[in-house]
Amino acid sequence: MYNFVAKFGKILEICKQFAGNLVNSNGNVTRCGVVPKFSDLEVIALSITAEAFSIDSENYLFNRLNKECPNAIPNLITRRQFNQRRKKTRILGEEIRKAIAGKIDVGESMFCIDSKPLKVCQNARVNRCSMGKADIKQAPAWGYCASQNMRYYGYKLHALCGITGVIHSYDMTAANVHDIRYLKNVKWEYHDCTILGDKGYLSASVQQDLFETANITLEVPYRLNQKNRKEPSIAYKRFRKRIETVFSQLNDHLMMIRNYAKQPEGFLARMAAKVAAFTMLQYFNLINQKPIGQVKYALF
């Protein structure tokens, strides 16, 4: 775990560098009340470091830290406090992640968009699942993933990444929300670019709206039975699978398909930490002059 602590220190310094005016001199978001000794930036850095090391169990993480290097991280909070504060610092962590992503990719004009199913439990356990019962607006729902021919209960991760593989923006919705809904947010954040999507984003009205509103060209492959069908462009064939590679890395190294959360707030916090860790590993590769896509080797 001493390697873990060393990487935690480096990730904390990067978080301080990109936090800017979002936090005060103590590394906390300014608020009333007692000033925590373990700062908000340290909570974010610890969460990112754990996910980067493929440690997604808080119980396992704190057991190892307390047994193997109990005094290595000063003012370390308890597991319960960490769980609560990670939810509260999710928005701050996302702002830092966006700043890091912008540092990696500057001036990209071509992006890939796709969605990924996020199960909260096995289908046989849905009736016993209590997630979202307190707030129906954040509750999971039944959905269907055509690419995997799978019906599942949970959420969807909608992501937009550059052709280099850096996730620029993402959102999570219930599984029954159509992929094309996410494009309504994209047109207010991006302009003068090309977005490559799969057949789930096929809509002539949406394509026209994106082009007229923000000069965004949405390239989607035609269906076999459509009139005036055209073959996908060379750029589409070359770069479209980039986001599928990103999703595979999130599943493989960051174990996004595994869930220990009991409520939507915890689930969102865990998913946000995984995406932030993915971006942080890419930044490590950038500053170490390695291919940014090799996230498994970023910490070595």
Side-chain angles (χ1 to χ4, degrees):
M1 290 298 285
Y2 287 98
N3 184 35
F4 179 95
V5 174
K7 297 301 180 183
F8 164 76
K10 292 183 179 180
I11 291 175
L12 178 59
E13 290 301 318
I14 294 174
C15 289
K16 291 179 179 179
Q17 176 185 347
F18 285 93
N21 297 326
L22 298 174
V23 296
N24 55 27
S25 58
N26 296 322
N28 295 308
V29 176
T30 303
R31 57 182 178 271
C32 300
V34 179
V35 178
K37 294 182 179 180
F38 197 76
S39 68
D40 292 338
L41 287 184
E42 288 177 309
V43 172
I44 294 171
L46 182 59
S47 178
I48 292 176
T49 308
E51 297 294 349
F53 276 84
S54 301
I55 302 175
D56 59 350
S57 170
E58 297 166 1
N59 188 35
Y60 176 75
L61 170 65
F62 278 83
N63 277 339
R64 290 200 60 182
L65 285 175
N66 292 328
K67 289 181 179 179
E68 299 179 21
C69 44
N71 300 317
I73 300 179
N75 303 315
L76 181 64
I77 54 180
T78 64
R79 179 173 65 90
R80 180 186 60 81
Q81 292 171 326
F82 173 72
N83 186 38
Q84 292 178 343
R85 291 186 61 191
R86 180 160 70 165
K87 299 174 187 176
K88 296 179 180 179
T89 57
R90 177 173 62 87
I91 297 177
L92 173 61
E94 173 58 15
E95 293 298 322
I96 295 174
R97 190 206 68 80
K98 285 183 177 179
I100 296 174
K103 183 69 173 180
I104 300 173
D105 282 340
V106 180
E108 279 197 309
S109 60
M110 185 170 291
F111 303 92
C112 303
I113 189 170
D114 206 350
S115 65
K116 167 183 170 49
L118 299 174
K119 297 173 63 174
V120 298
C121 66
Q122 297 297 329
N123 293 352
R125 297 180 59 244
V126 170
N127 293 333
R128 290 176 285 164
C129 180
S130 61
M131 182 176 289
K133 294 295 179 63
D135 187 0
I136 194 64
K137 293 182 180 179
Q138 295 184 349
W142 283 103
Y144 177 74
C145 178
S147 61
Q148 301 181 28
N149 191 22
M150 175 184 69
R151 188 168 180 263
Y152 69 100
Y153 185 75
Y155 299 91
K156 269 186 185 179
L157 172 68
H158 305 268
L160 187 79
C161 79
I163 59 175
T164 55
V166 178
I167 298 176
H168 287 269
S169 63
Y170 71 94
D171 194 9
M172 276 177 279
T173 64
N176 58 357
V177 176
H178 198 279
D179 293 351
I180 213 164
R181 294 273 187 91
Y182 181 59
L183 290 173
K184 295 181 179 180
N185 300 328
V186 169
K187 67 181 181 181
W188 304 117
E189 298 181 19
Y190 299 88
H191 58 86
D192 303 315
C193 62
T194 300
I195 298 179
L196 310 176
D198 60 14
K199 294 178 183 178
Y201 299 92
L202 186 60
S203 172
S205 59
V206 171
Q207 288 175 304
Q208 183 178 357
D209 180 52
L210 288 173
F211 186 78
E212 293 177 350
T213 305
N215 194 26
I216 296 175
T217 301
L218 176 62
E219 184 172 348
V220 181
Y222 286 75
R223 299 188 188 278
L224 295 176
N225 59 352
Q226 279 187 278
K227 295 181 180 179
N228 303 321
R229 183 177 181 274
K230 298 179 182 179
E231 288 295 323
S233 66
I234 297 176
Y236 186 92
K237 295 178 180 179
R238 182 179 180 184
F239 300 122
R240 176 64 187 88
K241 289 188 177 181
R242 180 68 66 186
I243 194 167
E244 296 174 6
T245 301
V246 169
F247 284 163
S248 296
Q249 290 174 318
L250 288 172
N251 281 346
D252 179 34
H253 185 64
L254 296 165
M255 296 180 290
M256 186 168 272
I257 57 175
R258 198 158 69 183
N259 169 47
Y260 293 131
K262 302 295 189 297
Q263 293 301 325
E265 296 84 359
F267 183 83
L268 293 175
R270 288 171 182 270
M271 297 301 110
K274 293 178 187 296
V275 176
F278 181 75
T279 306
M280 183 66 72
L281 292 174
Q282 291 176 323
Y283 185 70
F284 266 103
N285 282 334
L286 177 69
I287 60 180
N288 293 324
Q289 298 181 346
K290 298 179 181 178
I292 65 170
Q294 297 181 1
V295 294
K296 273 193 172 184
Y297 307 98
L299 297 177
F300 301 100

